Amino acid sequence: MSDHVSEPVTRNSEASRYEVQVDGNLAGVVEYDEHDGRIDMTHTEVFGDFRGSGIGETLAGGAIIDAVDRGLTIVPSCPFIESYLRKHPIAGANIEWPKGD
């Protein structure tokens, strides 16, 4: 397996997910629900041999930047996305933190 991300993070609106490819293979996704100016990032998954290669961080960062660029409020329901946002503040991000924070 190569650790080379061959394509940028892309938004697949039909499937309601962000995707990243490595050497032409789907390496991971961030699933989301988008409505009323909000994007609830619900689940992040990196597949098989791609785990532990940094793909998750690449994917999270790309998804968040796209949401910020589109002016959406980010709801980090996924623990991975929440952790990423806490460790890597993104300028201009409007975040609706989970209850209890």
Side-chain angles (χ1 to χ4, degrees), residues 42-55:
T42 58
H43 179 71
T44 302
E45 186 169 358
V46 175
F47 303 121
D49 290 340
F50 299 111
R51 291 185 184 116
S53 65
I55 294 295

Side-chain angles (χ1 to χ4, degrees), residues 67-80:
V68 170
D69 288 349
R70 296 187 319 138
L72 299 171
T73 296
I74 299 166
V75 181
S77 293
C78 169
F80 186 85

Side-chain angles (χ1 to χ4, degrees), residues 3 13 23 29-30 38 43 47 52 57 61-62 71-72 75 83 86:
D3 289 336
S13 298
D23 296 332
V29 298
V30 170
R38 297 168 70 240
H43 179 71
F47 303 121
E57 292 217 347
L72 299 171
V75 181
S83 175
R86 291 191 186 282

Side-chain angles (χ1 to χ4, degrees), residues 3-49:
D3 289 336
H4 176 69
V5 177
S6 58
E7 297 179 21
V9 174
T10 57
R11 180 173 14 103
N12 180 339
S13 298
E14 289 182 12
S16 295
R17 67 186 193 185
Y18 289 92
E19 303 173 344
V20 69
Q21 304 268 333
V22 174
D23 296 332
N25 298 301
L26 184 62
V29 298
V30 170
E31 297 172 353
Y32 66 85
D33 292 316
E34 185 178 332
H35 51 88
D36 301 326
R38 297 168 70 240
I39 185 165
D40 185 356
M41 296 185 183
T42 58
H43 179 71
T44 302
E45 186 169 358
V46 175
F47 303 121
D49 290 340

